[in-house]
Every structure is written in C-alpha cells, then in structure tokens.
C-alpha cells in the first residue's frame, strides 16, 4: 500500500509544483489558477515542475539506489541536479533557492535564521515512507537548511504524513504540531502568508488542506495564495496525494504533468 501512496504523494507534490510555477511571485488576487496552465513567471510549458520536484525525486532516487537514507548520497544527487540538470524535464535548472545553492556549493547546510526558506521542507516527504527518525530527518534537511526552525518543521511535516499513512484524519495528524497549525482552519485567508519562509509555507499548505475536502480544491486554494505558489502547492500536494490517492488526482492534471517517466523510475520500495 505504501508504494501506491508514495506514488500519489510524489505525483501530488509535482502537480502542486507545476500548478504554481506559472504564477510564482505573483500577488494574491491579481490572478486565478483554475487548471494547469503554462508560461507565466518562468515561461515554461504547462505541466513543468521546478526545483521542488527535482530535489524530491533526487531524494527518492537516493533511497531507491542505496536501500537506506544516505545523507551524503543525497547531497551528491542534489549537486548533480544543480550542476548538471539531472532530474529536470528540459535539462535545465530554474528557480533554485539561494540557500540551497549556497549550501550545496559550500558542502554543508546553512545554520542561519535568515536562511529558513522552504528549500528542505519541499523535498522531505519521501522520508515519511522510511523509518528515518527525527535525527535523520534533521540531517537530511541540514544538507541545505540546518537551522532548528527548518529542521523542526521538516520533522513535523514527516510526522503528519506518517499519521495520514496510518489512516488518521488530517485533524488528528496535525493535533500535536506547534504554533497555529492545529487550529489553522479557523483563520481567514488574510491571516495566511504564503512566502518562502518555511513557517509561512507550512501554514499555508496545511490551511489549504484543512479548508477543503478534495485534491483539486486543496491544490487550487494553495497556489492561488500567490507569492511562493509552487512550493506551497508542492507541500500541500504531497500530503493531498496521501489523503486522496492517485484516484483523487484529476486525470487531466496527471496527463498534462511532464516528466512522469523521470518520477516513476526514481520511486522506491521500502522493506
């Protein structure tokens, strides 16, 4: 069952990413995403995903190849993506985050409050399908984002995903989270930020899921928050894939998604 859920999570993440790519950095209320479209901010064909998905499937590929969570192997695969455009649809890297680039070039994660972007949260969901403990999840985040805020949110996100995999409701899954997350569905959209700051992205993604009851509405609500739309969409999409399964993802979005063969060959089985 976990293999089908892994595929749904990664496809959900990639679709959320691709939905948000054309409107990334746009101000909320100046656009409306209704379907999967192309071009816009990054001038890419419909269904094109960005660094969020590339790094996520690099994570999957590392686990597949090593049969375990190997931090140094993951770092190497991230560098192959950044330097040689591996795990991309068009052999071209775009939208790579500053902290991610700095960390990979330096060979160590950045432990700085101002480096708490969402660049490790967006790629962490494959670890929910492994037996990685919080120490290991922290180490995987810290390949790029080493500050306690980023690593802590990655641990919370993986915990949510695992509880969903156990069949718990999203309400139950977020109940132990810190901050505004447990009651976030009560907030108005004006109280939700969708910036690249990791706390904002995490809150926006969970808010979109808690205020909807199907995959399509959750993902559209996420990306229409604007700003860092692709990553909010990706973070929401990973969990939405677990909640609703492949059967809950609109077929036309799956058909439009590019690079499915790249994703499929990187998925792993976990014993």
């Amino acid at each position: 069952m976990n293999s089908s859920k892994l595929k749904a999570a990664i496809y959900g993440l990639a679709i959320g990413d691709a939905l948000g790519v054309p409107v990334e950095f746009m101000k909320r209320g100046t656009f409306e995403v209704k379907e999967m479209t192309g071009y816009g901010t990054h001038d890419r064909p419909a269904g094109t995903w960005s660094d969020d998905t590339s790094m996520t499937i690099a994570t999957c590929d590392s686990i597949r190849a090593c049969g375990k969570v190997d931090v140094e192997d993951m770092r190497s695969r991230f560098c192959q993506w950044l330097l040689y455009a591996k795990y991309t649809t068009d052999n071209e890297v775009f939208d790579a985050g500053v902290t991610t680039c700095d960390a990979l070039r330096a060979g160590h994660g950045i432990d700085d409050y101002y480096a708490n972007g969402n660049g490790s949260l967006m790629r962490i969901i494959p670890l929910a399908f492994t037996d990685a403990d919080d120490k290991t999840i922290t180490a995987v985040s810290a390949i790029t984002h080493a500050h306690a805020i980023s690593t802590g949110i990655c641990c919370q996100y993986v915990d949510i995903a695992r509880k969903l995999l156990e069949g718990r409701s999203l309400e139950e899954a977020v109940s132990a989270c810190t901050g505004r997350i447990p009651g976030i569905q009560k907030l108005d959209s004006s109280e939700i930020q969708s910036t690249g700051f990791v706390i904002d992205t995490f809150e926006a993604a969970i808010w979109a899921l808690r205020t909807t009851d199907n995959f399509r509405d959750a993902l559209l609500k996420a990306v229409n928050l604007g700003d860092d739309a692709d990553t909010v969409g990706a973070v929401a999409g990973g969990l939405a894939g677990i909640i609703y399964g492949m059967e809950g993802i609109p077929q036309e979005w799956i058909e439009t998604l590019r690079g499915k063969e790249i994703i499929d060959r990187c998925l792993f089985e976990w014993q």
Side-chain angles (χ1 to χ4, degrees):
M1 185 181 84
N2 272 5
S3 294
S4 63
K5 286 292 190 180
L6 174 64
K7 181 173 182 176
I10 305 306
Y11 268 65
L13 183 148
I15 285 169
D17 185 7
L19 282 167
V21 160
V23 296
E24 187 180 18
F25 308 129
M26 291 188 183
K27 184 178 178 181
R28 188 182 308 177
T30 64
F31 66 93
E32 184 179 9
V33 176
K34 296 181 179 179
E35 293 296 343
M36 192 174 286
T37 59
Y39 304 99
T41 300
H42 296 287
D43 197 28
R44 306 283 161 165
T48 303
W49 29 266
S50 70
D51 58 325
D52 307 58
T53 305
S54 291
M55 297 191 78
T56 300
I57 60 177
T59 301
C60 287
D61 200 31
S62 177
I63 297 168
R64 180 200 60 76
C66 297
K68 63 179 181 179
V69 177
D70 186 315
V71 172
E72 290 310 313
D73 185 79
M74 285 182 189
R75 186 194 311 276
S76 174
R77 291 174 193 273
F78 295 161
C79 289
Q80 290 174 42
W81 156 73
L82 181 63
L83 300 176
Y84 305 112
K86 191 172 182 180
Y87 308 109
T88 65
T89 55
D90 297 305
N91 295 313
E92 184 180 355
V93 174
F94 71 97
D95 199 30
V98 173
T99 298
T100 293
C101 294
D102 288 349
L104 292 178
R105 290 185 174 118
H108 60 81
I110 310 300
D111 181 6
D112 183 281
Y113 176 81
Y114 295 100
N116 275 305
N118 50 29
S120 61
L121 175 63
M122 70 186 193
R123 58 172 167 82
I124 207 73
I125 201 167
L127 271 67
F129 296 84
T130 75
D131 56 8
D133 58 14
D134 281 359
K135 181 178 179 181
T136 303
I137 296 165
T138 294
V140 170
S141 171
I143 294 171
T144 55
H145 294 68
H147 192 275
I149 292 175
S150 290
T151 61
I153 288 179
C154 283
C155 290
Q156 289 189 58
Y157 183 75
V158 170
D159 183 64
I160 292 169
R162 286 175 172 161
K163 287 173 179 173
L164 294 173
L165 288 167
E166 292 169 0
R168 300 196 209 181
S169 68
L170 181 58
E171 180 180 5
E172 291 177 302
V174 304
S175 62
C177 290
T178 58
R180 303 196 301 173
I181 293 294
I184 202 156
Q185 76 282 358
K186 300 174 184 177
L187 300 182
D188 184 75
S189 61
S190 63
E191 300 174 88
I192 301 298
Q193 302 300 310
S194 50
T195 75
F197 180 47
V198 67
I199 293 175
D200 289 348
T201 299
F202 185 43
E203 290 185 344
I206 301 300
W207 178 84
L209 291 165
R210 289 298 312 276
T211 54
T212 54
D213 61 5
N214 62 81
F215 186 96
R216 179 189 290 272
D217 288 349
L219 271 287
L220 292 179
K221 202 161 194 178
V223 300
N224 280 310
L225 288 170
D227 205 344
D228 205 351
D230 61 330
T231 304
V232 174
V235 173
L239 296 181
I242 294 174
I243 295 167
Y244 300 110
M246 287 295 291
E247 64 276 12
I249 303 175
Q251 187 60 36
E252 65 271 22
W253 289 358
I254 295 174
E255 291 172 359
T256 304
L257 185 68
R258 304 179 68 213
K260 291 186 285 290
E261 70 286 350
I262 305 172
I263 296 172
D264 289 345
R265 68 172 176 255
C266 292
L267 299 179
F268 61 89
E269 299 280 346
W270 187 263
Q271 302 301 323

